[in-house]
Amino acid sequence: MGNNQPIGILDSGVGGLTVVKEVFRQLPHEEIIYFGDSARLPYGPRPAEEIKQFTHEIVHFLLDYHVKMIVIACNTATAVALETVKKEVDIPVIGVIRPGSVAAIKNTKTGKIGVIGTDGTIKSGAYEKSLTKINPKLKIESQACPTLVPLVEEGNHSEEEIRKIVLDALKPIKKFDMDALILGCTHYPIISEYIQEVVGPHVKLLSSAEETAREMSTVLHYQCLLADNANIPSHHFFTSGNKKQFKQIAESWLGKHINVEQVDITAAKSISK
Ligand code: DGL
């Protein structure tokens, strides 16, 4: 018999939807409860302790829905809070940095890998640690791109504006002779076509979404937690920010109609305590 409890997925905003899209594809029987903390975005420049606190609040919000697994679909939160959350809860918790590193290692031929992410992720050195743990000989160049998350989250820029912002953001890393570039922020796949234009077709763009869904599938399988819902389950999307803006970006990215509820996460936390 399957386990049809939902899976909780969180991000600072719409970025984690890049993981959700892949979960829909690879694990169509799983029900998702998603929380995007758009009201407190960006997480990137915030101190680690604050990100840990926000993540803790969202994890407890998700636990109230009796989730069977938690996916921290945010690189910044994974970098600083994954280990703490793992100790705090007794269900499987998955982050996105290890899966992103695995994807890059599978795809590089030259061993020269670029990493772009938020200030928090890049400063943490989490990708370097994770990549060199698998292969210490890799050459890695990392760069923070703080302008890209607001660009995705606002969702109202013209193509020309997007092109210019992406080009400016990637100027330094473009000089690095890499054959793989890790999109080390879950927001970036949403603008991957523009990133690809700037770095050129010889650089393979890797996001953690596909590998994360694969890792989820493996863990669910080994722990006998895979769902066996006969029908496609209905999912629940929550945001702490602007519901209309979240819904618009989410529906365009996921290619389907969704229901979104706005939640005051601080109040939700006090209700759940
Ligand atoms: N999407 C998040 C990440 O993967 C963070 C964006 C932010 O809030 O700065 O890092």
Side-chain angles (χ1 to χ4, degrees), residues 12 35-40 238-242 261-265:
S12 62
F35 191 92
D37 199 5
S38 307
R40 300 189 289 192
F238 297 94
T239 177
S240 57
N242 183 309
E261 274 179 58
Q262 201 213 1
V263 166
D264 175 351
I265 187 66

Side-chain angles (χ1 to χ4, degrees), residues 162-173:
I162 302 176
R163 263 197 192 96
K164 182 170 177 346
I165 294 169
V166 173
L167 179 66
D168 287 346
L170 298 178
K171 258 183 199 148
I173 193 103

Side-chain angles (χ1 to χ4, degrees), residues 114-118 122 143 145 170 173 181-185 188 195:
V115 183
I116 50 172
T118 66
I122 300 303
Q143 191 209 305
C145 297
L170 298 178
I173 193 103
L181 176 63
I182 298 180
L183 306 182
C185 170
Y188 299 170
I195 297 175

Side-chain angles (χ1 to χ4, degrees), residues 6 16 34 46 50 63 77 108 144 147 151 153 184 203 232 250 258 264 267:
Y34 183 89
R46 291 183 185 274
E50 196 172 32
L63 288 175
T108 181
T147 52
L151 174 72
E153 202 75 25
V203 178
I232 301 288
I258 58 161
D264 175 351

